């Protein structure tokens, strides 16, 4: 019988000593370790962004203003949660925005056929789930790199949306459907935001407190070692892609409900922002490391920064440029830093 200890030893032995990575047991650590965590640095930036927004607008601290700010990131954040697990497992899905478009068009078409609010929500989540399953099935069945497949389906799903809808727009959704994207659960707390908070807790438990989460880390650290340790790697990868598709469908329901219409260009470019949230949260783009806590904080940081840019009337294209530069910076800096440290170690060894 293979235990977690055996799995950890197998993975460590399979890698060279200088490349082996620690497989985290939990989020618990001493005070000094917590202060040195990436999440702590993110919290500092969140505080800076928060007080900067206060200076930019005297109305920022108004409860309704803060509530409106959450709509800038909630749908993307919901996709970022399963995307974090997928990237930790050494995979990626670039088709999530196109999946949203496809699911939204499917809901719009069903609406013309007389579907009710609940049926529309189920259709949106169902289409997203099928799209994610198709991605995972192709990747695991034919061993094609995830980035290649999802770039293909990114064009495929968006293309289907344009073929079905063309230049038309689906409108006139049922009145009850608006609750998903515009409704409030209690006071200023929107349904979207409460849903995100609940999902963040659920994904945190799934990744950090369950055997499944340990297996995701194991696959991300070394898929071969994980396979020989008895983990069904392909089944786990297929499940993760399907999970991402499901929550892209959930995001499609929320977004379509919030704006009250469907266009084939809906959610254009969201895949970049979702991946930026995940990587900014400390998830290693190469897999094997990361936490839901980090992603949770990064979501709020990006939301505050985006809202602050809106207060300054920064054009959307400038926000896109900022997101792209942030993604490059967050991914590139740790890689360059590790190379510098490695070069210093090699130089010191050669000097001795």
């Amino acid at each position: 019988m293979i235990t977690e200890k055996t799995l950890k030893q197998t993975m460590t032995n399979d890698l060279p000593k200088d490349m082996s990575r620690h497989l985290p047991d939990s989020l618990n650590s001493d005070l000094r370790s917590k202060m040195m965590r990436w999440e702590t640095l993110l919290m500092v930036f969140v505080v800076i962004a928060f007080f900067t927004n206060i200076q930019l607008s005297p109305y920022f601290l108004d409860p309704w203003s803060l509530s409106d700010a959450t709509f800038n990131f909630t749908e993307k954040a919901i996709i970022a949660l399963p995307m974090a697990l997928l990237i930790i497992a050494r995979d990626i899905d670039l088709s999530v925005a196109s999946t949203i478009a496809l699911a939204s068009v499917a809901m719009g078409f069903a609406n013309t056929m007389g579907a009710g609010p609940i049926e529309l929500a189920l259709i949106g989540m169902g289409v997203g789930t099928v799209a994610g399953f198709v991605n995972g099935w192709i990747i695991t069945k034919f061993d094609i790199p995830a980035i290649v497949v999802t770039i293909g389906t990114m064009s495929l799903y968006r293309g289907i949306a344009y073929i079905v809808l063309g230049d038309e727009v689906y409108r006139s959704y049922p009145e009850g459907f608006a609750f998903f994207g515009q409704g409030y659960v209690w006071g200023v707390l929107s349904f979207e935001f409460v849903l995100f908070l609940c999902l963040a807790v659920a994904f945190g438990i799934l990744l950090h407190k369950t055997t499944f989460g340990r297996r995701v880390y194991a696959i991300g650290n070394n898929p071969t070692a994980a396979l020989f340790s008895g983990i069904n790697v392909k089944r786990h990868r297929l499940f993760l892609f399907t999970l991402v598709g499901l929550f892209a469908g959930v995001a499609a329901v929320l977004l379509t409900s919030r704006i009250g219409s469907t266009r084939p260009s809906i959610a254009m470019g969201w895949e970049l922002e979702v991946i930026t949230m995940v990587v900014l949260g400390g998830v290693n783009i190469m897999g094997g490391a990361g936490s839901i806590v980090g992603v949770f904080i990064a979501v709020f940081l990006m939301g505050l920064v985006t809202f602050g840019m809106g207060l300054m009337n920064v054009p959307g294209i400038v926000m896109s440029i900022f997101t792209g530069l942030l993604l490059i910076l967050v991914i590139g800096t740790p890689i360059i830093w590790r190379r510098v440290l490695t070069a210093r170690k090699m130089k010191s060894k050669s000097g001795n």
Side-chain angles (χ1 to χ4, degrees):
M1 181 177 178
I2 299 172
T3 64
E4 296 290 346
K5 183 178 180 180
T6 304
L7 172 60
K8 193 172 180 180
Q9 289 176 344
T10 303
M11 293 179 58
T12 304
N13 293 336
D14 189 73
L15 291 170
K17 290 183 179 180
D18 60 335
M19 294 182 63
S20 60
R21 285 177 286 188
H22 173 65
L23 199 61
D25 294 313
S26 68
L27 293 179
N28 299 324
S29 57
D30 56 35
L31 180 60
R32 182 180 178 184
S33 297
K34 289 181 179 179
M35 292 300 294
M36 297 299 293
R37 290 174 66 91
W38 176 251
E39 290 86 346
T40 304
L41 180 61
L42 286 178
M43 280 301 302
V44 173
F45 283 115
V46 166
V47 173
I48 293 173
F50 186 84
F51 282 101
T52 300
N53 286 345
I54 292 176
Q55 298 301 317
L56 292 174
S57 173
Y59 305 105
F60 176 72
L61 289 179
D62 179 76
W64 288 104
S65 179
L66 292 173
S67 179
D68 289 341
T70 63
F71 287 108
N72 290 326
F73 62 82
T74 307
E75 294 115 352
K76 300 166 193 171
I78 286 174
I79 307 174
L81 295 173
M83 182 70 80
L85 272 66
L86 186 66
I87 294 178
I88 289 173
R90 283 197 187 186
D91 278 311
I92 197 167
D93 187 348
L94 298 176
S95 69
V96 288
S98 297
T99 300
I100 292 175
L102 183 62
S104 184
V105 168
M107 286 186 289
F109 180 78
N111 181 51
T112 63
M113 305 277 59
I118 301 301
E119 289 85 356
L120 291 176
L122 292 175
I123 289 170
M125 291 187 292
V127 170
T129 302
V130 171
F133 177 84
V134 169
N135 286 339
W137 183 81
I138 295 174
I139 291 166
T140 56
K141 180 70 174 180
F142 302 102
D143 290 324
I144 305 175
I147 191 170
V148 174
V149 173
T150 56
I151 285 177
T153 54
M154 176 175 65
S155 299
L156 174 64
Y157 298 156
R158 182 77 66 177
I160 294 174
Y162 271 104
I163 290 173
V164 173
L165 195 54
D167 294 330
E168 301 296 323
V169 179
Y170 284 133
R171 293 191 179 93
S172 302
Y173 284 96
E175 184 177 347
F177 185 65
F179 173 79
F180 297 116
Q182 303 176 28
Y184 290 86
V185 176
W186 182 73
V188 297
L189 293 177
S190 67
F191 173 77
E192 281 194 6
F193 187 63
V194 172
L195 177 61
F196 164 64
L197 293 178
C198 294
L199 289 174
V201 173
F203 273 94
I205 294 172
L206 178 65
L207 179 62
H208 300 295
K209 299 296 182 180
T210 67
T211 302
F212 177 82
R214 295 281 297 170
R215 289 173 178 173
V216 169
Y217 280 117
I219 293 170
N221 273 271
N222 193 317
T224 303
L227 179 64
F228 282 105
S229 297
I231 297 175
N232 191 326
V233 175
K234 288 189 175 182
R235 182 182 298 174
H236 281 72
R237 294 175 69 198
L238 177 60
F239 175 78
L240 288 174
F241 276 104
T242 305
L243 192 66
V244 172
L246 167 62
F247 284 97
V250 171
V253 174
L254 299 175
L255 178 61
T256 305
S257 170
R258 179 163 62 87
I259 64 179
S261 63
T262 294
R263 297 177 184 271
S265 59
I266 190 172
M268 187 75 76
W270 275 28
E271 59 280 330
L272 176 63
E273 296 184 53
V274 170
I275 293 171
T276 302
M277 286 178 175
V278 174
V279 178
L280 180 62
V283 174
N284 190 339
I285 195 67
M286 303 303 293
S291 72
I292 294 298
V293 174
V295 175
F296 182 83
I297 300 172
V299 161
F300 280 93
L301 177 58
M302 284 200 65
L304 287 170
V305 171
T306 303
F307 191 71
M309 288 183 175
L311 292 175
M312 294 186 293
N313 296 318
V314 176
I317 186 62
V318 176
M319 293 185 186
S320 298
I321 293 173
F322 170 79
T323 302
L325 291 175
L326 182 63
L327 182 59
I328 294 173
L329 180 66
V330 172
I331 293 177
T333 301
I335 295 174
I336 295 173
W337 181 247
R338 283 196 296 268
R339 288 178 179 174
V340 170
L341 291 179
T342 302
R344 287 181 177 178
K345 290 179 180 179
M346 295 294 292
K347 186 176 180 180
S348 62
K349 287 181 180 179
S350 61
N352 294 334

